[in-house]
Amino acid sequence: MAEPYLSASAMRGGYGKADILNGCTLTVDQGQIAVIVGPNGAGKSTAMKAVFGMLNLREGAVKLGGEDITRLTPQERVHKGMGFVPQTHNIFPTMTVEENLEMGAFIRTDDYRETIEQVYHLFPAVADKRKQNAGELSGGQRQQVAVGRALMTKPRLLMLDEPTAGVSPIVMDELFDRIIEVARTGISILMVEQNARQALEIADIGYVLVQGANRYTDSGKALMADPEVRRTFLGG
Amino acid sequence: MIQVHDLHRHFGGFRAVDGASLTIETGSITGLIGPNGAGKSTLFNVIAGVLPPTSGRVIMDGEDITGLQPHQLFHKGLLRTFQLAHEFSSMTVRENLMMVPGAQTGEGLMNTWFRRGRIREEERALRKKADEVLEFLTITHVADEKAGNLSGGQKKLLELGRTMMVDAKIVFLDEVGAGVNRTLLGTIGDAIVRLNKERGYTFCVIEHDMDFIGRLCDPVIVMAQGKVLAQGSASSIMQNEAVIEAYLGTGLKNKVAAEVAEEANFGESHGAQPGLGAEAGQGGDGKPAGDL
Amino acid sequence: EDIKLGISLGLTGPLESIAPAIQKGAELAMKEVTDSGKLLDGSKIAPVAADNTCVDAAASVAAVERLVTSEGVKGIMGGMCSGETIASLEKVGVPNGVVMISPSATSPALSTIDDKGFFFRTAPSDARQGEVMADIALSRGVKSVAVTYTNNDYGKGLADSFANAYKAKGGTVTIVAGHDDGKADYSAEVAALAAAGGDALVVAGYADQGGSGVIQGSLDTGAFETFVLPDGMVNDVLVTKFGTALETSFGQNPSAEGDGHDKFAELAKAAGFDGTSAYSGEAYDAAALIMLAMQAAKTSDPKVYKDKVMEVAIAPGEKIYPGELAKALELIAAGQDVDYVGATAVELVEPGESAGVYREVDFKGGKLNVIGFR
Amino acid sequence: MSNTRQADAHGRWRAPIVFLLIAALFMLEGTTRNALFSGSWNSALAILNMGLISAVMALGVNMQWGYAGLFNTGVVGFLALGALGPVLVSTAPVQGAWSAGGLRVLLALAVGLGTLALATQVWKRVKAPLSFILIPLVLLVGCVLYRFLFDPAVMAIEANNSASAGNIGGLGLPVLLSWPVGALFAAAAAWGVGKVALGLRSDYLAIATLGIGEIIVAVLRNEEWLARGVKNMSGIPRPVPYELDLQNNAGFVAKAAAWGMDPATASAIWVKLLYAGLFGTVLLGLILLAELALKSPWGRMMRAIRDNETAAAAMGKNIKGRHLQIFVIGSAVIGLAGAMMVTLDGLLSPGGFNPLRYTFLVWVMVIVGGSGNNWGSVLGAVLIWFLWIKAEVWGPELMNLVTMPLPEGALRQHLLDSAPHMRFVAMGLTLLLVLRFAPRGLVPEK
Amino acid sequence: MDFLNALVAILNFVVIPAAAYGAQLALGALGVTLIYGILRFSNFAHGDTMAFGTGLVILVTWGLQALGISLGPLPVALLALPIGIALCSAFVLGTDRVVYRFYRKKKSDSIIMVMASVGVMFVMNGLTRLLIGVDEIRFDDGARFLISVQDFKAWTGLTEGLALRLSQALTLVVTALCCWALFRFLNKSRSGKAMRAYADNEDLALLSGIDPERIVRLTWIIATALAVTAGTLYGLDKSFKAFNYFQILLPIFAAAIVGGLGSPIGAVAGGFIVAFSEVAVTYPWKKIATYLGFQPEGLLQLLSTEYKFAVSFVILIVVLLFRPTGLFRGKAY
Ligand SMILES: Nc1ncnc2c1ncn2[C@@H]1O[C@H](COP(=O)(O)OP(=O)(O)OP(=O)(O)O)[C@@H](O)[C@H]1O
Ligand SMILES: Nc1ncnc2c1ncn2[C@@H]1O[C@H](COP(=O)(O)OP(=O)(O)OP(=O)(O)O)[C@@H](O)[C@H]1O
Ligand SMILES: [Mg+2]
Ligand SMILES: [Mg+2]
């Protein structure tokens, strides 16, 4: 098999002295959906940040499309085609919904109006609020704006940290639906999910992260089928 | 018992809560669900005194509590958590818990100079209690970490943990489950049931995880566009057409099924994979989980 | 002997723009004496400047403390503003027995302060100037005035004494309003003064501070054309700034009957600074007095020479003008009496402050013209 | 955030190290004579005394900002109110002032306050359309009545011996008694201000308090009947002996001789030591109380409130009440410092109360020292005060150094002439350097 | 009853001076508010940036005058302004590089940045004085009045005169232009939106591909341009004096805050509120009353001018009590 599109190998690092990541490895192929699950505080978000260059790695390397990007700044990674929705603080609160989406398209030079319409179509609830400041939205609406912003980037690798937290079931369905669609177009998806069963359902590859290290790695289906994994990590 | 009478809360011209009336019975675990932006959190904020209502009244055990300050409500036994975690970020996790109980001797300025002994004793007891809560929430290892450094889910747990530090009459939980590991959420659900049964706490829970709602709550109130759309037992709600259309949707299952029909990759395992909802229904307390 | 003399001024702070000329004035006198080589058998005077910020009593005390206890100065030309002067005098000057002669602190409080004979000032007394100014104004037919003053003890004291004298002599004061120096804008003051009205505007302020700001505003809006200007305002800065716009204005400042003032201005010009700037002449005189008193006491010990300060400053004796310090030193050494007149017609009265002779000036033709003396 | 652990490791040694550093600076100032230090104990002690007072101010600001996150930039105002204490309590009574109009002034002030109280009551009790008429009416009537009583009384007082008095004078009580009174003045004002303004957030509170500070100072400057306004109030009594008395005291002179000092120096040093003892005692007492409070649940609650008001309110903490409490206490401490300051200066000079010196410099002290940490702000205060004073010398020295290589000429002369202004540059540079190497303060909050 | 004279008197003594002063404050407040909004701290060095920049403009002006350049009725300083802005921006960017960037990278509390700006303020304070001294400097050439009192009286025959200085008119026009341009820039242009995004959520701005350092530079340059423009106009209108520029800082902050920190329109409104309250509240209405046919005994002055600053603050506090984040809903970090 050729080298995967994204490969983050043996990452080790953290915020202070203690390491949060202890040799965590993540890979995603072109058009694949990879899902990370694990207990709270396992280091999932930290791993995402590490992949995006928002955390200094002590060890390990991140490669994108065969190119070593370990030393690049987050902003340079954006230009390499990576998009990221953080778990918290993922909107611009005093800018309108529309401006939030425009900011998603900041590095695009083509006409992005169509993409905006697509996002509105996907999230009709926020479409009604396009002229409202994003900070005034409800929790779930914010989440939708955040995901919408990332979609605006038209990235080649889309990283989502718990995109469905606080989102109502109907929208969550839509969202997963859309993610599959996006993946179809050849975009790689790396996401963290606590709604793990739904997420693993659509995942090509699943990672169970515990204390900053890979505990289980398998296809989504296989992980779902593993009773041990289900009991300890997926809530029965 | 909390009674909400024809409550309105408007933001400019927008009616976030638009004439909601509902009752939370003492001793119940009431679920509050509804689409994003339905006005659930706003309703909570009005009840908890964070936002003044545009009109309407809130009655708690026969007493009108409309417009009381949050700290006054706290002392009446009304606690709440925040949807977006509001931790005290520069304090340690343990301190976050220890600061919660009201009426601490050490909170009087004079006492800090003249009643040191008593304070020391109280502190010891508080610390013990905090450690128990931490243990329960599986975050003992970060007890001395600044709360601001917690992971998203851990903050959510801390949010819940604070309500466990005091004896409350009624607790409002705003999406405690979002971002919390599902296994742990199960445990939390157990704890809520236990607090409800053993200590007689009343709960009002906002949550989008229907497994959780289905397992815990009776009754369930559905809000949409600032109004109460439906009310009833979890199972009846989940079969309610209006609720399905506005909130639940027809379920991921069907769509995935449609997808897999085309995709060979997915095709194989589909048969082995029962619907998510059915799973949850069995995993819970046996109530049918409806369409999901 | 090398004698150090302190110069304590607000080199930074609200009056920082008039401080340099004061410092130069004092240094000019010191240089003159040093160059003459006639002080106490060829002693040299070394000036040591300290920045007292003018407004911060604590900083001023610290600065003067340094001059006295560390530099070991034998006398101080300063302080500059009254509050700060009182503090440093009470806390450093008097306890350590060092003579302080202020060129510019005019607060009446300094007249009654328990200075143990260590404090003098060459600045004019506000009370007297108020009288003189009222006389001049009335004699020119100005029957009603608005008064604005810089909001400190100098301005306030002068404004009060003027207003009282003027009213007593039959004039009308329409308004007495303060202005703060160094403020961004004086429209409010000008508006208030204009609304109150009057034949002329009395500006008890400083020429390069708020005073000229108020004049500027009044001229621009046509509120007043005639200004009555006391010592803080009467100098060449004002003339260069407003030129012929002051055609009808007049004023007075303390000056010797004779050419002391002009002589000093010449000396200053030669030394490269503006001798007409406020208190520059007073500073020259203050420094000169210290050195002449030393000569008279035959010692640089302030505890001794403090008693000679009054003696050299008043008649009888040969009159001494700026630039004649060498002559004065010779005379004193020869045991003869001198009457120091200096740049500002110093005439010290008990308890050690200037009585002041005032010269009346006007600004016809865009120049500062001396009319007469009072 | 990532450096918290590191800071903890050094944490316990930070305060002693900074303390030693400051002590060393003072030793140098007292003993060595060179371009940088004066080598005079008198000078060193003079700086120390004001440093101790600054430390009290900084402690007050730290209570408000460091404990509760209240951005009070009206420090100068509360300081000025405290400074009023010694004037009204301990200066000699002015003959005839009270009979001229003292009581009428008090009455007028009571009327003024009553009017405000009535107006607020109307505002609270009466409904909208009616109150729009009533409130201005109440205010107008009150104002007219107030002016009617106040103006002639003030005129009478100010006319009473206006050159050297013109104020209502003091009570002639011991000056130490006036310190708590000064604190009380500031506290009372803070209570009123707090009631009105504490609802405002951060920078808005800052500008409101800045304004209030300016207003208080404006009152002090312009109300001559109160404390002579800009004409300054001098001759405030001392709690310690006068140097000249000591110099005339045979016993003291003998003792000084035994120590090998001349009487003038010895007396000056002795007086300063006495002051230092007084101020030091007050300071240490305050620190003790503050530390006890901060290290208990009260302190924890305060930090919680500072951290997240919404959550703290939801956890039953009365934000407004606590804010008011700490605002009043902090202001009282600042007022106490004000009273101590005029006692030390022997002078109340309202013209000198400018916000740069008494508000922002104190803020610099707190932040450089380490906000939230009592020891930090106290040490920061002494250090910054030391630098502020020494910048007067160090600035021009710096200029000498800079211009050394320049050829003689107009440029060099211009620079040398401007040397006093290097005071600011020197102060700015030291401030920037300290902040650079201790960005969270010299002794950061743990 | 002499309505026209009353009107002219008010225009001449209250409206025109207050409007010009208000505009000067507004320009300064725009810069303060911009830095607050985007870099999240109150920049105490702003007043001294104005002074320093104006000092540079004056030096350039002198140079141009020495070359014999003149703009006819307009002051040469306008020509020197861009050069002054460029030089001052370079300096300010330098301070950002050596001072503020460090704290930005460390994500220090904004109060630390404020204190650092106090340090910068001191340094600039000294440098300005070294550069150009402490004396008052007049550097306006060209025409002084658009309408002078004498001319006005001659034209209209009224007893009250009216004066409009060129510098006042210039100030008003330039302020209006700056305000409009800034507003357009922030709300419509890509860079402007990026600046607001950065202000809102720095990390997320990074994730959107916005170069934070570029934003910071842009902010400083715009704020400096505003500061130098404000300083120059102020200097042309009054005179240049280093100390005054520090004193003007307080009213500028007051203006920025009463309007709502971070809000450009707020800054402008705030500037006018502060200016008008200073002038109008202490204005004695006696003369106006006399023109309108009353014969008042006193001056009809609400408060004496010594309290003018206090008055403007009282108004400010009252505004804040009813609108706790300023007239135009500023931010509160
Ligand atoms: N401060 C505000 N200003 C304007 N609109 C607001 C404000 N706060 C909330 N809203 C609007 O009110 C509506 C209800 O918000 P609320 O947070 O109560 O929703 P919710 O039911 O809790 O949704 P979610 O499930 O997403 O948390 C939303 O449409 C939101 O945009
Ligand atoms: N800024 C930080 N500084 C120090 N420690 C941190 C910081 N952020 C996270 N941590 C710690 O790192 C660990 C992993 O955090 P992370 O956010 O990666 O968890 P997570 O797996 O995403 O959990 P969750 O599911 O709750 O979001 C946690 O123990 C947390 O306390
Ligand atoms: Mg996470
Ligand atoms: Mg919600």
Side-chain angles (χ1 to χ4, degrees), chain C residues 7 20 22-32 47-49 283-284 287:
Chain C
I7 298 176
I22 303 181
Q23 181 183 359
K24 294 246 171 66
E27 284 173 358
L28 184 63
M30 298 183 196
K31 181 157 184 302
E32 195 180 325
V48 191
Y284 177 91

Side-chain angles (χ1 to χ4, degrees), chain C residues 92-109:
Chain C
V92 187
V94 174
N96 290 294
V98 175
V99 168
M100 291 177 70
I101 304 187
S102 167
S104 57
T106 53
S107 166

Side-chain angles (χ1 to χ4, degrees), chain A residues 38-41 87 125 129 138-142 144 162 165-171 173-174 176-177 180 184 194-198 201-204 221 224 230-236, chain B residues 14 34-37 83-84 151-154 157 175 178-184 208-211 244-252 255-256 259 262-263 266 269 273 276 279-280 292:
Chain A
N40 293 117
Q87 186 173 3
K129 308 229 159 206
S138 82
Q141 291 167 339
R142 282 166 181 247
Q144 295 170 27
E162 304 205 16
V167 168
S168 72
I170 194 168
V171 179
D173 291 351
E174 283 282 333
F176 279 131
D177 212 19
I180 295 169
R184 286 277 164 65
Q194 290 293 8
N195 285 315
R197 284 170 298 161
Q198 288 95 322
E201 183 88 17
I202 63 166
D204 297 302
K221 303 282 135 35
M224 291 275 282
R230 292 182 63 126
R231 194 170 48 72
T232 1
F233 303 111
L234 310 185
Chain B
F14 182 77
N36 295 128
Q83 179 171 11
L84 300 175
S151 76
Q154 289 169 331
L157 294 177
E175 299 200 23
V180 171
N181 180 272
R182 285 299 175 267
T183 306
L184 184 55
H208 288 300
D209 185 317
M210 293 313 292
D211 299 359
I244 290 171
E245 197 196 326
Y247 179 60
L248 295 171
T250 40
L252 179 63
K255 282 177 193 154
V256 173
E259 301 271 321
E262 301 163 20
E263 278 274 333
F266 284 77
S269 51
Q273 208 58 60
L276 297 169
E279 270 282 294
L292 196 80

Side-chain angles (χ1 to χ4, degrees), chain C residues 36-200:
Chain C
S36 79
K38 300 221 166 70
L39 176 67
L40 302 177
D41 311 319
S43 288
K44 288 199 166 59
I45 298 280
V48 191
D51 175 15
N52 66 31
T53 75
C54 227
V55 286
D56 182 351
S60 170
V61 169
V64 176
E65 187 86 57
R66 176 175 68 83
L67 286 181
V68 173
T69 62
S70 167
E71 299 283 355
V73 299
K74 300 292 184 196
I76 293 169
M77 198 295 300
M80 189 165 172
C81 300
S82 299
E84 152 268 307
T85 305
I86 293 173
S88 55
L89 175 67
E90 282 189 333
K91 302 197 58 202
V92 187
V94 174
N96 290 294
V98 175
V99 168
M100 291 177 70
I101 304 187
S102 167
S104 57
T106 53
S107 166
L110 278 164
S111 307
T112 51
I113 199 166
D114 182 15
D115 62 11
K116 311 284 183 218
F118 285 105
F119 180 73
F120 305 88
R121 48 181 165 176
T122 51
S125 124
D126 298 335
R128 165 115 176 87
Q129 186 174 189
E131 295 262 340
V132 174
M133 184 153 57
D135 285 339
I136 296 178
L138 288 167
S139 73
R140 289 183 169 240
V142 174
K143 290 277 178 288
S144 85
V145 292
V147 180
T148 181
Y149 60 90
T150 172
N151 201 1
N152 63 21
D153 48 353
Y154 159 70
K156 178 81 177 153
L158 182 55
D160 280 356
S161 82
F162 167 79
N164 289 337
Y166 191 68
K167 276 188 258 182
K169 292 176 204 283
T172 312
V173 177
T174 56
I175 186 174
V176 182
H179 63 258
D180 284 318
D181 284 326
K183 278 289 184 291
D185 180 82
Y186 294 104
S187 322
E189 285 81 356
V190 171
L193 294 167
D199 299 343

Side-chain angles (χ1 to χ4, degrees), chain C residues 11-12 50-51 53 55-56 58 62-63 65-66 69-70 83 86 91 94-95 108 116 151 153 156 160 180, chain D residues 33 38 40 42-43 50 163 221-222 224 230-232 243-244 247 272 344 347 352 357 392-393 421 423-424:
Chain C
L11 297 170
T12 64
D51 175 15
T53 75
V55 286
D56 182 351
E65 187 86 57
R66 176 175 68 83
T69 62
S70 167
I86 293 173
K91 302 197 58 202
V94 174
K116 311 284 183 218
N151 201 1
D153 48 353
K156 178 81 177 153
D160 280 356
D180 284 318
Chain D
R33 267 207 80 175
S38 72
S40 145
N42 254 314
S43 164
M50 195 57 208
R221 285 169 54 129
N222 295 310
E224 266 180 64
V230 290
K231 287 175 170 174
N232 301 332
E243 290 89 346
L244 284 180
Q247 287 163 26
K272 290 194 181 81
L344 177 68
L347 164 86
R357 158 71 182 84
E392 190 229 342
V393 185
H421 304 298
R423 175 179 204 158
F424 294 116

